[in-house]
Amino acid sequence: MVLGFDSSTQSLSAVLLGREERRVLASVSVNFGEELPEYGQESGFISGGSDGEVHSDPMMWLDALDRVLDKLRDGGVDLAQVEAVSGSGQQHGSVYLNERFEEVVGDLDEGDSLSGQLRGCLSRATAPIWMDTSTGEECAEIAEAVGGDAEVCRRSGSVAIERFTGPQIRKFFKREPEAYAETARIHLVSSFLASVLAGKSVGIDRGDGAGMNLMNLAEGDWDEGLLEATGPGLREKLPEVVDSGEVVGEVGSYFVGKYGFSRSCRVVAWSGDNPCSLVGMGAARPGKVVISLGTSDTLFAAMPEAVTDPRGYGHVFGNPMGGFMSLICFRNGSLAREAVKERYGLGWEDFEVDGLARTPAGNGGRVVLPFVDDEITPRVASKGLVGVGWEGEPTANEMVRGILEGQFLNMKRHSDWLGVETEEILMTGGASENDGIAQVAADVFGKRVRRLEVAGSAALGAAVRAAVALGDDLEAWEAAVSSPAAGRDVEPRRENAAIYAELEKTFAEALKNHFKLT
Ligand code: XUL
């Protein structure tokens, strides 16, 4: 058996996979807001931060880890049978530890809780997480120090980004220099929890490490120039960079004594949630592009080479199975689709194939710039929904088609740098259930769209990574845990190929004419 954890923004989950059965045997979860109300972090973070600051209490994650293991053990799982554990963490979040950490984590007393023993090891009481946007100034300083944003992107895989760990570390160093000086170790959420499990400080993997603006993507190690631009003495404070598949240790005695793990149970490096999801969705080999339709939409795909987005919007992380992966976020996702639905008094059936059939594919060569709200890909301030090519206002039906075509044309345009031929699209998230939405995506990309129903793909991916680290076959696991929903594939309509090839140019032109692009 192998165990995969997922420490996400709102909960900590675990999924247990049977290596012989090749299936999920158990899964449990602890929701921070509901089950640890004493932290007062209803959605997993401390509310009311000023100037875009969003932090969480790392002790809450530790209490959740104890609880998740309690639930597994009390649910009858024989944890002694677990041969390897790995995990996934919300990306970018960082935990700051003093010099006591190494000693305390190596000698945890099973009679006490994790948080009770590790609280005194924090050199910063709270952990900035990925929702934090408070480091604009530090991003500019880091970019300036190494020669501009394009250079930060060339080195690290992303331009300097507010939520990324490097700018967050720099802000801490500037605001609290004494506490920074007392910090002996800075961990990511992923490597922090892996360290607790292993009973010693372990490395940061290349998947999650790439989300820090500190790792040189091509070299797969900390980048001297970025380290220097970020904070003094930073190299000594960071753990080493390790392969995502590396066995970083065996579970510590706390977990053996308290939960019954075997002493030989291996801890495989944890990674970020997006890298783990890539594995959990069966897209770890180049050729599949995952589009997740949620509040925001995201597109991610495995990439063989360390190419970066020439426009600086997308990110490149390490692929836990080797090579690289892209992650591109589109802020205007379901919220924008819902805004159209509400504004025009429509129902989701109007977005279905029948509803879309009221208008011709390509809206007669007219496009909608689909930014109801400010967008990050491309980085533009919203001007509301802009219909380009209409004499008057688009009708409700035209707007439905327009926003969907606009969103997928925008995704296609801004994922044109991945350097890998798309074989098929794996779609997930609430809106992917809608056949009309899937059809527009298939037509715009000219590729088959397959629907994935993978709840908890990050924990699943982490567990699969643990199994692969033990020598299991990745393809066999992918086939077992992440097969697309049968009978729900959507094929691109060949008759529309020329229309969309033309519309892509119209869209790019409209973008350029209406917005000042960076
Ligand atoms: C990715 C990002 C989020 C977090 C939390 O860059 O910020 O997806 O990983 O899920």
Side-chain angles (χ1 to χ4, degrees):
M1 296 191 313
V2 286
L3 192 57
F5 292 96
D6 175 30
S7 180
S8 76
T9 316
Q10 306 200 3
S11 58
L12 188 108
S13 327
V15 56
L16 183 75
L17 297 181
R19 289 178 76 197
E20 271 162 35
E21 305 86 336
R22 254 195 226 295
R23 65 179 176 83
V24 174
L25 300 178
S27 57
V28 293
S29 188
V30 168
N31 180 286
F32 303 138
E34 287 165 18
E35 294 174 66
L36 297 166
E38 60 273 28
Y39 285 93
Q41 298 175 43
E42 212 176 306
S43 304
F45 54 87
I46 302 158
S47 55
S50 54
D51 301 322
E53 201 168 88
V54 184
H55 287 209
S56 290
D57 186 338
M59 294 304 119
M60 179 176 73
W61 304 330
L62 295 183
D63 281 349
L65 181 58
D66 268 328
R67 288 231 183 169
V68 156
L69 291 171
D70 276 339
K71 283 193 188 186
L72 282 170
R73 184 196 50 200
D74 298 348
V77 171
D78 179 10
L79 291 166
Q81 303 301 318
V82 176
E83 296 154 276
V85 300
S86 187
S88 153
Q90 51 172 316
Q91 290 199 255
H92 319 300
S94 42
V95 182
Y96 299 75
L97 300 149
N98 60 30
E99 58 184 19
R100 294 185 53 221
F101 176 63
E102 197 76 52
E103 195 189 315
V104 175
V105 83
D107 191 24
L108 291 167
D109 172 4
E110 60 185 84
D112 195 355
S113 66
L114 292 171
S115 64
Q117 299 174 79
L118 289 164
R119 181 166 284 114
C121 300
L122 292 176
S123 58
R124 189 183 197 181
T126 55
I129 64 160
W130 66 279
M131 297 166 80
D132 190 297
T133 54
S134 68
T135 65
E137 198 177 287
E138 288 75 18
C139 287
E141 289 165 356
I142 291 168
E144 162 88 26
V146 298
D149 249 334
E151 181 60 15
V152 180
C153 187
R154 192 190 65 75
R155 292 184 191 218
S156 76
S158 303
V159 300
I161 300 279
E162 287 87 341
R163 67 184 187 281
F164 278 37
T165 323
Q168 293 291 343
I169 292 173
R170 180 161 180 77
K171 179 179 155 194
F172 179 53
F173 151 65
K174 282 169 58 189
R175 306 263 175 109
E176 298 175 63
E178 282 168 21
Y180 178 82
E182 274 169 29
T183 302
R185 252 307 156 258
I186 302 175
H187 272 296
L188 291 178
V189 176
S190 58
S191 62
F192 172 60
L193 291 171
S195 299
V196 171
L197 272 174
K200 62 178 185 185
S201 198
V202 304
I204 288 180
D205 90 300
R206 293 194 174 84
D208 216 8
M212 301 173 78
N213 281 143
L214 287 174
M215 195 187 89
N216 188 297
L217 208 57
E219 290 167 14
D221 205 351
W222 303 126
D223 182 285
E224 204 51 55
L226 288 168
L227 291 176
E228 268 174 35
T230 302
L234 184 51
R235 183 179 279 275
E236 288 71 54
K237 299 183 196 295
L238 292 174
E240 60 174 344
V241 180
V242 296
D243 271 344
S244 311
E246 187 162 319
V247 173
V248 291
E250 277 87 44
V251 289
S253 53
Y254 176 90
F255 299 93
V256 174
K258 192 162 187 172
Y259 299 108
F261 278 94
S262 148
R263 258 181 209 290
S264 62
C265 175
R266 295 173 207 180
V267 179
V268 176
W270 283 39
S271 188
D273 56 354
N274 294 294
C276 288
S277 283
L278 185 81
V279 178
M281 293 197 177
R285 281 161 296 128
K288 295 187 176 159
V289 167
V290 177
I291 295 180
S292 166
L293 302 176
T295 309
S296 299
D297 294 338
T298 54
L299 180 150
F300 56 82
M303 297 159 61
E305 308 287 340
V307 286
T308 55
D309 184 354
R311 302 182 192 94
Y313 304 136
H315 311 302
V316 181
F317 302 138
N319 174 347
M321 292 302 164
F324 303 88
M325 69 172 285
S326 59
L327 175 77
I328 315 175
C329 304
F330 303 87
R331 251 192 103 221
N332 280 273
S334 286
L335 287 185
R337 291 182 284 273
E338 265 158 37
V340 167
K341 178 173 153 283
E342 296 308 316
R343 187 174 311 170
Y344 291 86
L346 304 167
W348 287 122
E349 63 282 3
D350 295 294
F351 290 67
E352 282 289 352
V353 177
D354 289 348
L356 286 168
R358 296 181 210 127
T359 48
N363 255 336
R366 296 168 294 191
V367 293
V368 171
L369 300 174
F371 314 127
V372 172
D373 229 322
D374 293 352
E375 181 51 66
I376 50 175
T377 308
R379 220 166 283 124
V380 296
S382 172
K383 295 183 176 177
L385 286 168
V386 180
V388 181
W390 277 271
E391 302 235 323
E393 286 288 304
T395 65
N397 289 331
E398 286 168 347
M399 190 49 98
V400 167
R401 178 174 282 289
I403 188 156
L404 296 181
E405 290 179 344
Q407 287 189 324
F408 291 117
L409 285 167
N410 192 47
M411 275 187 201
K412 179 148 194 254
R413 170 149 188 82
H414 292 105
S415 58
D416 61 359
W417 53 274
L418 306 184
V420 51
E421 179 66 26
T422 304
E423 285 163 24
E424 59 186 20
I425 293 170
L426 302 176
M427 223 182 220
T428 170
S432 70
E433 287 298 307
N434 185 302
D435 289 340
I437 294 178
Q439 185 67 60
V440 174
D443 286 354
V444 167
F445 281 87
K447 302 290 173 195
R448 170 186 300 149
V449 168
R450 318 194 73 182
R451 257 73 71 83
L452 279 184
E453 283 172 43
V454 267
S457 59
L460 199 56
V464 168
R465 290 178 43 241
V468 171
L470 292 176
D472 285 11
D473 181 46
L474 171 63
E475 275 183 52
W477 269 113
E478 280 185 339
V481 297
S482 49
S483 50
R488 304 237 30 224
D489 290 355
V490 175
E491 299 294 335
R493 290 175 300 195
R494 300 285 162 215
E495 67 273 23
N496 291 340
I499 295 175
Y500 285 109
E502 203 47 45
L503 206 64
E504 226 179 297
K505 295 185 206 145
T506 311
F507 183 81
E509 202 52 32
L511 255 188
K512 214 167 63 196
N513 292 339
H514 283 78
F515 294 102
K516 199 171 148 281
L517 301 173
T518 48

